[in-house]
């Protein structure tokens, strides 16, 4: 069944200097458990698309459904998001950073903490729970950011160039890690990337977008793509 269904979704930003059409007639269906990569040149609307799925921006035309809700009406905890920079809070330890989406809403329970520790152990950071972000490498910080995105068990994991700022070797290691997480958690995932090898390695399907206006121009099912 489909987790995401977008039907001729459009987005126009209204600015002081005029309207900018960021997305035009985007029709896309993402199956439950699928891993989709989105590629395309700068300005083609990739980030806008992710922000609309995350309810951080509202679309201005068309309709979209995420799970059982209309886009825009979905709860923010339906999605977990990973950005290019890990954006961990420097004064909190790693465990508290991972728990942040929970503690912004309520007091974290022992079960919440155990769940967060399980995630940290899954990415090899079990020993680093009480460290501060600056004590970890960039790759390790990004792993913690992935744990933070997963801690409230969202139905959809969104990643916007998550490894773009990392060196090639760290990037390769994290690609393997994300592939393993996806197989372990059955999480539906959407990844924005500039790297075609990364897209093909991680995704079952690659969506190709083009700018002015941002739209989907191609869709490629990855032959011999990843399996669970
Ligand atoms: P990508 O992630 O593919 O680089 P974006 O979604 O960031 O594309 O941007 C798509 C288009 O929308 C671009 O022309 C960009 O300049 C414009 N845009 C993005 N965010 C805003 C905004 N907040 N206000 C006005 N225009 C925006
Ligand atoms: P990653 O493994 O996340 O790609 P690195 O390549 O920088 O990050 O680090 C390789 C390994 O070295 C890590 O998995 C970790 O075991 C160890 N390491 C890196 N930085 C630190 C640190 N600040 N403190 C302790 N161990 C570290």
């Amino acid at each position: 069944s489909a987790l995401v269904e977008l039907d001729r979704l459009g987005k126009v930003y209204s600015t002081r200097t005029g309207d900018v059409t960021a997305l035009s007639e985007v029709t896309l269906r993402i199956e439950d458990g699928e891993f989709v990569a989105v590629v395309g040149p700068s300005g083609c609307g990739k980030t806008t698309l992710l922000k609309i799925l995350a309810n951080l921006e509202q679309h201005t035309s068309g309709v979209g459904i995420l799970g059982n809700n209309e886009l825009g009406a979905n709860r923010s905890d339906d999605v977990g998001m990973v950005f290019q920079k890990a954006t961990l809070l420097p004064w909190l330890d790693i465990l508290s950073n991972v728990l942040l989406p929970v503690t912004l809403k309520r007091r974290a329970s022992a079960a919440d903490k155990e769940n967060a520790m399980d995630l940290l152990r899954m990415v090899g950071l079990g020993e680093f729970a009480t460290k501060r972000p600056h004590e970890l490498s960039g790759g390790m910080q990004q792993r913690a950011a992935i744990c933070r995105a997963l801690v409230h068990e969202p139905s959809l994991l969104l990643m916007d160039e998550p490894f773009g700022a990392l060196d090639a070797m760290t990037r390769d290691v994290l690609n393997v890690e994300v592939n393993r997480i996806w197989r372990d958690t059955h999480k539906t995932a959407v990844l924005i990337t500039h790297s075609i090898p990364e897209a093909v390695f991680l995704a079952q399907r690659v969506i190709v977008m083009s700018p002015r206006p941002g739209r989907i121009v191609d869709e490629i099912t990855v032959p011999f793509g990843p399996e669970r």
Side-chain angles (χ1 to χ4, degrees), residues 73-178:
N74 51 305
R75 306 193 325 274
S76 59
D77 56 0
D78 284 343
V79 303
M81 195 145 172
V82 181
F83 303 91
Q84 180 162 355
K85 280 204 67 198
T87 64
L88 302 173
L89 299 180
W91 61 88
L92 294 179
D93 68 19
I94 294 300
L95 178 62
S96 305
N97 265 290
V98 170
L99 278 168
L100 203 62
V102 175
T103 48
L104 286 173
K105 296 206 163 118
R106 57 184 162 82
R107 199 187 171 87
S109 66
D112 290 326
K113 287 179 191 164
E114 202 38 54
N115 175 38
M117 281 306 302
D118 283 345
L119 287 167
L120 284 170
R121 282 190 282 264
M122 177 172 76
V123 300
L125 290 182
E127 308 292 312
F128 294 86
T130 58
K131 300 268 191 236
R132 297 288 181 83
H134 72 267
E135 297 179 87
L136 274 61
S137 69
M140 296 162 89
Q141 290 186 31
Q142 203 54 296
R143 288 175 185 183
I146 294 170
C147 295
R148 181 181 58 190
L150 292 171
V151 77
H152 51 51
E153 300 184 353
S155 50
L156 181 61
L157 176 63
L158 302 174
M159 293 170 279
D160 191 350
E161 286 273 341
F163 314 131
L166 303 173
D167 63 272
M169 205 143 95
T170 305
R171 205 179 166 117
D172 286 351
V173 172
L174 284 182
N175 278 342
V176 171
E177 200 102 320
V178 166

Side-chain angles (χ1 to χ4, degrees), residues 186-207:
H186 303 266
K187 200 66 71 185
T188 313
V190 181
L191 167 81
I192 294 178
T193 179
H194 277 115
S195 161
I196 300 292
E198 181 169 285
V200 168
F201 177 73
L202 285 172
Q204 299 173 299
R205 193 152 57 102
V206 180
I207 306 293

Side-chain angles (χ1 to χ4, degrees), residues 13 15 20-22 40-49 57:
Y13 289 105
T15 72
V20 179
T21 302
S42 186
C44 69
K46 303 181 296 294
T47 298
T48 298
L49 179 61
E57 286 284 358

Side-chain angles (χ1 to χ4, degrees), residues 37-41 44 206-210 215-220:
V38 181
V39 302
C44 69
V206 180
I207 306 293
V208 184
M209 295 183 69
S210 158
R215 62 194 196 286
I216 295 177
V217 289
D218 206 351
E219 197 183 299
I220 301 151

